[in-house]
Amino acid sequence: MEDSDATQSREEENIYVALSRGHLDILSIMNKVKSPKAGAVVLFAGTTRDNFNGKPVKELQYTSYIPKALNTLLTIAKDIRSKHGLTAVSMIHRLGRVPIGEESILIAVSSPHRQAAWKAGEEALEECKAKAEVWKLEEFGGDEGGVWRANRDGAVGTKIPQPYDEIEDSDEDRRSRGLPTIQGGECVHGEE
Protein backbone atom coordinates (compact mmCIF):
# COMPACT_ATOMS: atom_id res chain seq x y z
CA MET A 1 0.00 0.00 0.00
CA GLU A 2 1.31 3.46 -0.84
CA ASP A 3 0.52 6.31 1.59
CA SER A 4 1.99 9.03 -0.64
CA ASP A 5 4.77 9.55 -3.11
CA ALA A 6 7.19 9.62 -0.16
CA THR A 7 5.97 6.65 1.93
CA GLN A 8 5.15 3.06 1.08
CA SER A 9 3.65 0.83 3.74
CA ARG A 10 2.10 -2.52 4.57
CA GLU A 11 -0.48 -3.10 7.27
CA GLU A 12 -2.13 -6.03 8.97
CA GLU A 13 -4.12 -6.17 12.17
CA ASN A 14 -2.14 -4.23 14.81
CA ILE A 15 0.95 -4.07 12.58
CA TYR A 16 2.24 -1.19 10.46
CA VAL A 17 5.55 -1.15 8.56
CA ALA A 18 6.76 1.52 6.15
CA LEU A 19 9.64 3.00 4.19
CA SER A 20 9.60 6.77 3.76
CA ARG A 21 11.57 9.47 1.98
CA GLY A 22 10.11 12.09 4.31
CA HIS A 23 10.82 13.05 7.91
CA LEU A 24 9.66 10.42 10.41
CA ASP A 25 6.82 11.39 12.74
CA ILE A 26 7.31 9.99 16.24
CA LEU A 27 3.76 10.73 17.46
CA SER A 28 2.19 9.11 14.41
CA ILE A 29 4.15 5.88 14.93
CA MET A 30 3.37 5.82 18.67
CA ASN A 31 -0.33 6.43 18.02
CA LYS A 32 -0.43 3.38 15.74
CA VAL A 33 0.40 1.10 18.70
CA LYS A 34 -1.56 2.76 21.52
CA SER A 35 -4.44 0.72 22.85
CA PRO A 36 -6.57 0.46 26.00
CA LYS A 37 -5.22 -3.11 26.26
CA ALA A 38 -1.60 -1.90 26.44
CA GLY A 39 0.01 -0.83 29.69
CA ALA A 40 3.34 -0.10 27.99
CA VAL A 41 4.45 1.63 24.83
CA VAL A 42 8.16 1.54 23.97
CA LEU A 43 9.64 3.70 21.23
CA PHE A 44 13.10 3.43 19.70
CA ALA A 45 14.30 6.34 17.57
CA GLY A 46 17.57 5.72 15.72
CA THR A 47 19.27 8.99 14.76
CA THR A 48 22.21 9.89 12.53
CA ARG A 49 25.24 10.56 14.70
CA ASP A 50 28.17 12.76 13.70
CA ASN A 51 30.86 10.05 13.75
CA PHE A 52 31.60 6.39 13.02
CA ASN A 53 34.75 4.71 14.37
CA GLY A 54 36.31 8.11 15.04
CA LYS A 55 35.59 9.46 11.54
CA PRO A 56 33.38 12.54 11.11
CA VAL A 57 30.10 11.65 9.38
CA LYS A 58 28.52 14.31 7.16
CA GLU A 59 25.25 12.44 6.55
CA LEU A 60 23.76 9.03 5.84
CA GLN A 61 21.90 8.00 2.73
CA TYR A 62 19.66 4.93 2.77
CA THR A 63 18.39 2.89 -0.13
CA SER A 64 16.28 -0.23 -0.27
CA TYR A 65 14.72 -2.82 -2.50
CA ILE A 66 11.31 -1.58 -1.33
CA PRO A 67 8.97 -4.51 -2.12
CA LYS A 68 11.26 -7.07 -0.49
CA ALA A 69 12.14 -4.82 2.46
CA LEU A 70 8.45 -4.18 3.24
CA ASN A 71 7.78 -7.93 3.22
CA THR A 72 10.77 -8.53 5.49
CA LEU A 73 9.69 -5.79 7.92
CA LEU A 74 6.16 -7.23 7.99
CA THR A 75 7.49 -10.72 8.76
CA ILE A 76 9.71 -9.34 11.53
CA ALA A 77 6.79 -7.40 13.06
CA LYS A 78 4.47 -10.44 12.97
CA ASP A 79 7.11 -12.70 14.53
CA ILE A 80 7.96 -10.17 17.27
CA ARG A 81 4.28 -9.55 18.07
CA SER A 82 3.59 -13.27 18.38
CA LYS A 83 6.75 -14.14 20.34
CA HIS A 84 6.30 -11.39 22.95
CA GLY A 85 2.49 -11.26 23.15
CA LEU A 86 2.40 -7.66 21.97
CA THR A 87 -0.67 -5.55 21.41
CA ALA A 88 0.79 -3.79 18.34
CA VAL A 89 3.99 -3.13 16.38
CA SER A 90 4.88 -0.19 14.15
CA MET A 91 8.17 0.26 12.27
CA ILE A 92 9.22 2.88 9.74
CA HIS A 93 12.63 3.31 8.10
CA ARG A 94 13.68 6.45 6.29
CA LEU A 95 15.18 6.31 2.80
CA GLY A 96 17.29 8.90 1.03
CA ARG A 97 19.42 11.55 2.71
CA VAL A 98 19.29 11.67 6.54
CA PRO A 99 21.25 14.59 8.05
CA ILE A 100 22.99 14.50 11.46
CA GLY A 101 20.52 14.43 14.34
CA GLU A 102 17.51 13.26 12.30
CA GLU A 103 15.79 9.90 12.74
CA SER A 104 16.45 7.09 10.28
CA ILE A 105 14.25 4.48 11.98
CA LEU A 106 11.36 4.46 14.44
CA ILE A 107 10.10 1.30 16.13
CA ALA A 108 7.13 1.40 18.51
CA VAL A 109 5.67 -1.59 20.30
CA SER A 110 2.90 -1.90 22.85
CA SER A 111 2.05 -4.67 25.27
CA PRO A 112 0.08 -5.28 28.43
CA HIS A 113 3.32 -5.15 30.48
CA ARG A 114 6.58 -3.19 30.16
CA GLN A 115 9.05 -6.10 30.27
CA ALA A 116 7.71 -7.65 27.05
CA ALA A 117 7.68 -4.25 25.34
CA TRP A 118 11.32 -3.50 26.27
CA LYS A 119 12.54 -6.87 25.03
CA ALA A 120 10.44 -6.77 21.87
CA GLY A 121 11.55 -3.26 20.92
CA GLU A 122 15.22 -4.17 21.09
CA GLU A 123 14.68 -7.46 19.29
CA ALA A 124 12.71 -5.73 16.53
CA LEU A 125 15.60 -3.31 15.95
CA GLU A 126 18.21 -6.09 15.84
CA GLU A 127 16.07 -8.13 13.43
CA CYS A 128 15.60 -5.10 11.15
CA LYS A 129 19.34 -4.47 11.08
CA ALA A 130 20.11 -8.14 10.43
CA LYS A 131 17.44 -8.91 7.83
CA ALA A 132 15.83 -5.88 6.18
CA GLU A 133 16.96 -5.11 2.62
CA VAL A 134 18.14 -1.61 3.50
CA TRP A 135 21.64 -0.30 2.73
CA LYS A 136 23.31 2.87 3.91
CA LEU A 137 25.96 5.13 2.50
CA GLU A 138 27.96 6.85 5.21
CA GLU A 139 29.29 10.13 3.85
CA PHE A 140 32.43 11.15 5.74
CA GLY A 141 33.77 14.67 6.06
CA GLY A 142 36.74 15.86 4.04
CA ASP A 143 38.06 13.99 1.01
CA GLU A 144 37.35 10.52 2.39
CA GLY A 145 34.11 10.04 0.44
CA GLY A 146 31.69 7.39 1.61
CA VAL A 147 31.18 3.74 2.44
CA TRP A 148 28.21 1.57 1.44
CA ARG A 149 27.32 -1.02 4.04
CA ALA A 150 24.47 -3.25 4.98
CA ASN A 151 22.48 -1.50 7.70
CA ARG A 152 24.18 -3.42 10.52
CA ASP A 153 26.25 -2.27 13.48
CA GLY A 154 29.95 -2.69 12.81
CA ALA A 155 29.52 -3.98 9.25
CA VAL A 156 32.72 -3.33 7.33
CA GLY A 157 31.26 -1.86 4.14
CA THR A 158 32.73 -1.05 0.77
CA LYS A 159 34.57 2.23 0.26
CA ILE A 160 33.04 4.28 -2.53
CA PRO A 161 35.37 6.63 -4.43
CA GLN A 162 34.15 10.05 -5.56
CA PRO A 163 32.22 10.35 -7.83
CA TYR A 164 30.19 7.21 -7.18
CA ASP A 165 29.97 6.12 -10.81
CA GLU A 166 33.73 5.39 -10.84
CA ILE A 167 33.33 2.18 -8.84
CA GLU A 168 35.55 -0.58 -10.14
CA ASP A 169 33.49 -3.44 -8.66
CA SER A 170 31.35 -5.29 -11.13
CA ASP A 171 27.60 -5.20 -10.55
CA GLU A 172 27.73 -8.94 -9.91
CA ASP A 173 30.39 -8.50 -7.20
CA ARG A 174 28.33 -5.80 -5.49
CA ARG A 175 25.10 -7.85 -5.59
CA SER A 176 26.92 -10.92 -4.18
CA ARG A 177 27.86 -8.79 -1.14
CA GLY A 178 24.26 -7.63 -0.72
CA LEU A 179 24.98 -4.13 -2.03
CA PRO A 180 23.06 -2.17 -4.64
CA THR A 181 24.76 -1.20 -7.87
CA ILE A 182 25.59 2.37 -8.78
CA GLN A 183 25.05 3.71 -12.29
CA GLY A 184 25.60 7.34 -13.17
CA GLY A 185 25.71 8.27 -9.48
CA GLU A 186 22.30 6.65 -8.80
CA CYS A 187 21.63 3.55 -6.71
CA VAL A 188 20.04 0.77 -8.77
CA HIS A 189 18.72 -2.62 -7.65
CA GLY A 190 18.84 -5.49 -10.12
CA GLU A 191 15.54 -6.97 -8.89
CA GLU A 192 13.46 -3.81 -9.36
Side-chain angles (χ1 to χ4, degrees):
M1 174 177 154
E2 193 168 320
D3 294 335
S4 71
D5 292 340
T7 302
Q8 293 185 29
S9 65
R10 298 268 318 266
E11 288 186 70
E12 289 190 8
E13 185 178 350
N14 298 320
I15 293 178
Y16 173 85
V17 298
L19 297 167
S20 177
R21 294 203 173 274
H23 290 275
L24 304 184
D25 182 348
I26 290 172
L27 289 177
S28 172
I29 292 303
M30 286 186 64
N31 285 337
K32 288 186 182 300
V33 300
K34 286 187 175 181
S35 166
K37 298 175 184 175
V41 172
V42 169
L43 170 75
F44 173 80
T47 59
T48 301
R49 62 180 179 267
D50 66 359
N51 68 82
F52 179 79
N53 285 342
K55 297 177 188 177
V57 172
K58 186 172 83 175
E59 68 182 20
L60 298 179
Q61 293 181 39
Y62 290 90
T63 188
S64 175
Y65 177 45
I66 293 171
K68 193 165 185 181
L70 285 172
N71 286 338
T72 299
L73 292 173
L74 187 62
T75 298
I76 291 167
K78 290 189 322 190
D79 291 348
I80 295 291
R81 186 184 69 182
S82 175
K83 178 179 179 181
H84 294 281
L86 301 177
T87 307
V89 178
S90 182
M91 301 188 293
I92 186 167
H93 202 299
R94 188 160 167 193
L95 299 178
R97 183 178 166 274
V98 183
I100 302 298
E102 291 188 16
E103 290 79 20
S104 56
I105 188 169
L106 299 176
I107 297 173
V109 300
S110 62
S111 72
H113 304 286
R114 69 182 181 274
Q115 189 174 28
W118 283 118
K119 288 179 181 178
E122 183 174 9
E123 188 174 328
L125 174 64
E126 296 306 324
E127 289 291 298
C128 285
K129 286 181 156 289
K131 296 177 179 175
E133 293 78 11
V134 175
W135 300 272
K136 69 180 170 184
L137 173 63
E138 289 180 322
E139 285 279 357
F140 298 111
D143 294 331
E144 184 147 351
V147 174
W148 276 109
R149 66 180 85 241
N151 191 22
R152 293 163 182 74
D153 291 334
V156 176
T158 301
K159 185 167 175 37
I160 304 298
Q162 298 285 345
Y164 300 125
D165 55 359
E166 294 177 2
I167 296 169
E168 296 178 16
D169 291 355
S170 72
D171 289 346
E172 185 177 317
D173 290 339
R174 293 187 57 70
R175 280 191 293 274
S176 73
R177 291 190 310 240
L179 297 171
T181 60
I182 309 298
Q183 296 173 358
E186 293 294 320
C187 180
V188 178
H189 299 279
E191 298 179 51
E192 285 187 287

